[in-house]
Amino acid sequence: MAFTRWVGRTTTSALLLGAGLLLSHAASAATPVTAAPQTPLSVDERCGYLGGGRYHHCDGGSRTNVMLDVEDLWGGITHVCVRPGITDLQPYLTYRVAGAWWNGGVGCIPGRH
């Protein structure tokens, strides 16, 4: 008899809890959330490799040159130091640029290394 009362209470509690969650979810789904539409960043606003052999070094005002690892289409890596702003990396490579990333180096002299 005690087992039947315990199971009955647990089942009833679970049903009430589930119904409460369902109702609260339905109420929150019915309330429209108005978020400001996000405009995509232009190429000049993005940082890092932009494609087409171009890299945008966003320095945050520190005016620090950084060393990049630049990968060509065959997987070869060339080290290129860039100033803040957008740099065309293609003149530093024999083959087409496939990608570029900061390798942690700072304070270098711009150009191929």
Side-chain angles (χ1 to χ4, degrees), residues 55 66-72 76-81 89 97 99-104:
Y55 187 90
V66 296
M67 184 65 73
L68 304 177
D69 286 346
V70 183
E71 183 178 22
D72 65 31
I77 300 293
T78 301
H79 301 291
V80 178
C81 179
L89 300 171
V97 175
W101 57 92
W102 179 49
N103 67 15

Side-chain angles (χ1 to χ4, degrees), residues 2-3 8-10 21 25 28-29 31-33 40 49 51-52 56 61 65 70 72 76 94 96 98 104 106 112:
F3 178 75
R9 286 184 190 147
T10 304
L21 289 174
H25 177 68
S28 67
T31 307
V33 177
Y49 184 64
H56 187 191
N65 299 336
V70 183
D72 65 31
T94 303
R96 187 174 64 86
V106 296
R112 183 177 177 170

Side-chain angles (χ1 to χ4, degrees), residues 18-111:
L21 289 174
L22 184 61
L23 288 174
S24 67
H25 177 68
S28 67
T31 307
V33 177
T34 56
Q38 292 186 354
T39 57
L41 295 175
S42 71
V43 171
D44 293 339
E45 295 173 324
R46 291 187 312 213
C47 298
Y49 184 64
L50 303 174
R54 296 182 312 148
Y55 187 90
H56 187 191
H57 166 39
C58 301
D59 71 337
S62 66
R63 312 282 309 152
T64 303
N65 299 336
V66 296
M67 184 65 73
L68 304 177
D69 286 346
V70 183
E71 183 178 22
D72 65 31
L73 82 120
W74 301 108
I77 300 293
T78 301
H79 301 291
V80 178
C81 179
V82 297
R83 292 183 170 96
I86 297 177
T87 302
D88 182 8
L89 300 171
Q90 192 58 61
Y92 300 106
L93 275 71
T94 303
Y95 301 106
R96 187 174 64 86
V97 175
W101 57 92
W102 179 49
N103 67 15
V106 296
C108 52
I109 298 170

